[in-house]
Amino acid sequence: MSNRRDYRASKAALFDGFDNIEEGGIRASSSYSQNIDDHTNDKAINNLEDRVSFLKKLTGDIHGEVESHNRMLDRMGNEMDASRGIMAGTMDRFKIVLEKKSSQRMCKLVAYFVVSFFLIYYFIRVFRFFMNG
């Protein structure tokens, strides 16, 4: 038995600072394990801080883009309202002109529009013929 005690004592002296040698391998002492865990946690925290700062920057950029698009849409809405007002005024004037003019003038106006349409159509066809031919 003393031989076995000497063996354990020499093993303990050889692996001083390590626990549980006989239970399936060398395991670090609790203070060494805690230092490794602290170091791993510090790395993880630094990595997480980097990700959070990246996400914060990204959300700030997205917020800026959304704000600029909102301003652009507001301007477009205002311009569309102004255009709608101009169109309404033009249509009102056109109605007044149509009501005051005789039917003969109206027929002439329609005829001018139809002739103009066919002339433009003819010129476009001729232009395409020369471009493709």
Side-chain angles (χ1 to χ4, degrees), residues 88-101:
T90 303
M91 291 303 292
D92 289 342
R93 288 186 203 113
F94 191 67
K95 285 179 186 177
I96 291 170
V97 167
L98 288 177
E99 289 171 359
K100 288 183 179 179
K101 301 294 179 186

Side-chain angles (χ1 to χ4, degrees), residues 3-118:
N3 193 12
R4 188 165 174 101
R5 280 186 204 161
D6 291 337
Y7 174 74
R8 285 188 181 184
S10 65
K11 195 194 281 189
L14 181 62
F15 295 106
D16 192 27
F18 294 98
D19 297 325
N20 300 325
I21 292 174
E22 295 183 359
E23 293 188 30
I26 299 173
R27 292 192 185 139
S29 66
S30 62
S31 64
Y32 180 73
S33 177
Q34 187 175 2
N35 286 340
I36 290 175
D37 289 343
D38 288 344
H39 182 68
T40 305
N41 285 342
D42 289 342
K43 277 185 174 180
I45 288 171
N46 288 336
N47 191 11
L48 189 60
E49 286 175 350
D50 292 342
R51 288 182 183 183
V52 167
S53 65
F54 174 74
L55 288 174
K56 183 177 179 182
K57 183 182 180 306
L58 186 65
T59 55
D61 293 344
I62 290 171
H63 178 73
E65 283 292 319
V66 167
E67 290 294 322
S68 70
H69 284 100
N70 281 340
R71 285 191 298 273
M72 183 177 63
L73 288 172
D74 287 342
R75 278 182 286 172
M76 282 179 54
N78 292 338
E79 290 172 3
M80 290 298 286
D81 288 342
S83 299
R84 190 175 297 128
I86 291 170
M87 275 301 257
T90 303
M91 291 303 292
D92 289 342
R93 288 186 203 113
F94 191 67
K95 285 179 186 177
I96 291 170
V97 167
L98 288 177
E99 289 171 359
K100 288 183 179 179
K101 301 294 179 186
S102 67
S103 62
Q104 184 183 11
R105 286 192 180 171
M106 182 59 154
C107 288
K108 285 181 185 179
L109 182 64
V110 169
Y112 288 136
F113 280 128
V114 170
V115 170
S116 300
F117 174 76
F118 283 116

